[in-house]
Amino acid sequence: MPSPDDELRIAMAAHKAERFEEAEAGYLRVLEARPDHAKALYYLGLLQFHRGDTATAIKFVQRCLNFARTNGPAWNTLGGLFVAAGRKAEARDAYRRATIVAPAMGEAWYNYAICLRDEGDAEGAIDALRTSLAREPSYSRSYEALATVLYQAGRSQEAADIYREWAEREPQSAKARHMVAAVSQRDVPSRAADDYVRELFDSAARSFDANLGKLNYRAPGLVVEALVREAQSVGVSSAEAYAGLASVLDAGCGTGLCGPLLRPHAVRLVGVDLSSQMVERARARQCYDELVVEELSTFMRSRPGAFDAIVSADTLVYFGALEEPLSAARGALTKDGVLVFTVESLPETSSQDYRLETHGRYAHTERYLRSALAVAGFTATRIEPATLREESGEAVSGAVVTARRA
Ligand SMILES: C[S@@+](CC[C@H](N)C(=O)[O-])C[C@H]1O[C@@H](n2cnc3c(N)ncnc32)[C@H](O)[C@@H]1O
C-alpha cells in the first residue's frame, strides 16, 4: 500500500493532468489516513477552485492553514481565493497574514498593496509596494504598480525614479524601457515598440473592458458615430445612397468594443491587433468576419485597396510619428475611403509635433495631424475635440479625426 506521501504525489500528478476525479479520490485517501495532512488539504482546495467551486476551495485552504499557520504561500493563495469570490476585506486580511508569516515574500506584499490601493489607501499601498521591493527586488510587478500609484498620487518624480530603477534591474523589460523614455523624454521611440504593446495589452486583456467601463470610455462610440456621419454624408464605395459599407477594418481592435457598433454598418468586418490576448476576447464577441494578430501598419500594407473604411479607436495614441500608419491606411483604403481615429491632444503651443506623456501614451498637436494627413494623401474632413475617457478623475482630452482618401 502506498504511503500518504506517495499517494499525494500520484494525486498531484493526476491533478496536473486535469484528471480531477482521480486526483480528488487520491487526496481524500491521504486525508483518511492523515486528516491533518496540510498539503493534501491545500491541493484539494486548489482542485475545487480549478473545478470552479471557489467557496469549497476556501474551506479546504482554511483547514490547511489550521495545521500550517505559518505557511505564507497558503495565506497568499487564500487571499487570491477571496479575491476570486469577491470577498475583498477577507482577501486583504489573508494577504496581510501572508506578509506577517512570510515577510520576505514580495508577492504577498504586492497583493496586500493592491487590496489597499483598491480600497483607496494609496499611502498604505505605496508603503507595502516599497516593502515588497525592499524584501524581494526581483518581484518586478511591484515596480510597475508602485510607479503607477505614485504617478496617480501626483508624485511623478518618485514614479520616474521607480521606472528608472526597474529599467536598470530589468533592461530587457519593454514596459520599463518605454516608461523611462516617457518620464525622462530621452530616447523617445517614434512609436511604442511591438513588445511593449504586447506586454501591456496581453496582461490588461482580462480586465480591459471592466476597467475602461469604470473610466467612462467613449472612444468606440465616438469613432463609429463619426464614421456613420461621414459615410452617410457622401455615400461610400459603389452604393448610391448609404446602405452600409462593404468592408471595414478596426485597426487596433483590442477586445472588440467597436465590433458590435460597427457590425450593423459593415458587410465585412475585419479586426487587427498586436495583442493575441485582446484578439481572443474580440473573437468571443463573434461579430468580426476576420481577426488578425499583427502590427497594424504591416497588416494594412498587405491589403491594398481592401477597405471602404478604417477606424482606429484609442490606438494611434501608441504612435508618435503618424506618417507610417497613415500612409499604410491610405494604401489599404478604396478610392474615397474613410479613415476615422482618435488621438489625445497636445496643446498647439507645444514646440513638438507629438509627445510621449508620462502615462505612456502619445499626444499630438492638431497642426501635426493636419500636416501628416496631407502628406499621407488624406483630406481632413473634421477634427473634433472630444473627451475620450477619464484618468485619475480627470477628463482625457482628445480629438476624433475624420479623413477621406484624397
Ligand atoms: C486602448 S486599446 C483600444 C482597443 C479598441 N480599439 C477599443 O477602443 O476598445 C489599444 C489597442 O491597440 C493595440 N495596438 C497598439 N499599437 C498597435 C500596433 N502598432 N499594431 C496593432 N495593434 C496595436 C493594442 O494591442 C490595444 O489592443
Side-chain angles (χ1 to χ4, degrees), residues 191 194 197 201 208 212 217 219-220 250-255 257-258 272-275 278 294-297 313-315 318-319:
R191 72 170 171 88
D194 292 358
V197 172
F201 286 99
F208 183 84
L212 283 177
Y217 181 53
D250 184 357
C253 61
T255 60
L257 289 175
C258 292
V272 62
D273 200 286
L274 259 175
S275 158
M278 296 289 270
E294 201 174 359
E295 199 288 312
L296 61 84
S297 301
D314 206 27
T315 294
Y318 293 95
F319 288 74

Side-chain angles (χ1 to χ4, degrees), residues 311-377:
V311 299
S312 193
D314 206 27
T315 294
L316 295 190
V317 295
Y318 293 95
F319 288 74
L322 293 175
E323 285 76 6
E324 172 58 14
L326 291 181
S327 138
R330 186 182 191 279
L333 282 168
T334 51
K335 185 172 165 292
D336 291 335
V338 180
L339 171 68
V340 184
F341 60 95
T342 61
V343 286
E344 292 183 19
S345 298
L346 182 65
E348 293 306 300
T349 47
S350 170
S351 59
Q352 293 169 269
D353 289 337
Y354 60 83
R355 186 184 148 86
L356 178 58
E357 300 286 9
T358 46
H359 47 48
R361 301 183 301 275
Y362 294 83
H364 299 85
T365 62
E366 184 173 330
R367 174 185 75 232
Y368 172 61
L369 287 174
R370 288 194 185 278
S371 99
L373 282 165
V375 168

Side-chain angles (χ1 to χ4, degrees), residues 143 161-172 176 180:
Y143 289 102
D161 292 342
I162 296 297
Y163 282 129
R164 272 190 213 100
E165 222 178 280
W166 181 19
E168 264 165 38
R169 198 171 172 91
E170 286 180 23
Q172 76 288 1
V180 166

Side-chain angles (χ1 to χ4, degrees), residues 54-369:
T54 308
T56 309
I58 288 173
K59 286 186 186 138
F60 279 118
V61 175
Q62 282 172 324
R63 272 177 60 195
C64 149
L65 283 162
N66 286 338
F67 302 109
R69 305 296 298 165
T70 56
N71 186 327
W75 281 110
N76 190 54
T77 298
L78 182 63
L81 293 172
F82 279 133
V83 169
R87 293 161 63 176
K88 292 182 184 170
E90 289 159 288
R92 185 239 295 127
D93 292 346
Y95 287 136
R96 177 75 187 122
R97 288 296 291 268
T99 66
I100 292 167
V101 299
M105 192 178 166
E107 184 184 347
W109 284 103
Y110 167 87
N111 285 327
Y112 177 51
I114 298 304
C115 292
L116 295 177
R117 181 200 67 187
D118 292 349
E119 286 172 1
D121 179 2
E123 286 308 315
I126 289 168
D127 283 351
L129 287 165
R130 284 199 189 282
T131 311
S132 166
L133 289 172
R135 301 279 167 84
E136 194 180 340
S138 61
Y139 194 73
S140 55
R141 289 171 87 192
S142 293
Y143 289 102
E144 189 182 6
L146 176 56
T148 310
V149 184
L150 285 167
Y151 173 73
Q152 284 167 349
R155 292 158 64 175
S156 331
Q157 196 46 55
E158 285 170 79
D161 292 342
I162 296 297
Y163 282 129
R164 272 190 213 100
E165 222 178 280
W166 181 19
E168 264 165 38
R169 198 171 172 91
E170 286 180 23
Q172 76 288 1
S173 162
K175 265 193 201 174
R177 277 199 313 270
H178 183 84
M179 291 313 295
V180 166
V183 294
S184 67
Q185 291 297 309
R186 278 205 299 272
D187 301 323
V188 171
S190 62
R191 72 170 171 88
D194 292 358
D195 50 355
Y196 167 74
V197 172
R198 275 191 216 103
E199 248 181 58
L200 180 67
F201 286 99
D202 279 351
S203 61
R206 188 143 41 113
S207 51
F208 183 84
D209 293 3
N211 286 346
L212 283 177
K214 285 185 223 149
L215 299 177
N216 215 358
Y217 181 53
R218 300 177 62 225
L222 289 169
V223 289
V224 178
E225 202 182 293
L227 170 66
V228 172
R229 205 177 342 136
E230 180 65 14
Q232 280 173 337
S233 70
V234 187
V236 191
S237 185
S238 55
E240 280 177 13
Y242 173 72
L245 296 149
S247 184
V248 175
L249 173 66
D250 184 357
C253 61
T255 60
L257 289 175
C258 292
L261 308 175
L262 286 169
R263 185 68 274 182
H265 304 286
V267 176
R268 182 171 165 74
L269 180 58
V270 179
V272 62
D273 200 286
L274 259 175
S275 158
S276 60
Q277 297 300 308
M278 296 289 270
V279 168
E280 207 172 283
R281 275 147 185 96
R283 207 178 298 287
R285 287 186 202 275
Q286 299 190 330
C287 59
Y288 291 86
D289 298 294
E290 184 185 357
L291 281 164
V292 180
V293 178
E294 201 174 359
E295 199 288 312
L296 61 84
S297 301
T298 310
F299 173 77
M300 291 191 292
R301 294 237 178 256
S302 71
R303 304 278 174 114
F307 302 102
D308 294 312
I310 298 175
V311 299
S312 193
D314 206 27
T315 294
L316 295 190
V317 295
Y318 293 95
F319 288 74
L322 293 175
E323 285 76 6
E324 172 58 14
L326 291 181
S327 138
R330 186 182 191 279
L333 282 168
T334 51
K335 185 172 165 292
D336 291 335
V338 180
L339 171 68
V340 184
F341 60 95
T342 61
V343 286
E344 292 183 19
S345 298
L346 182 65
E348 293 306 300
T349 47
S350 170
S351 59
Q352 293 169 269
D353 289 337
Y354 60 83
R355 186 184 148 86
L356 178 58
E357 300 286 9
T358 46
H359 47 48
R361 301 183 301 275
Y362 294 83
H364 299 85
T365 62
E366 184 173 330
R367 174 185 75 232
Y368 172 61
L369 287 174

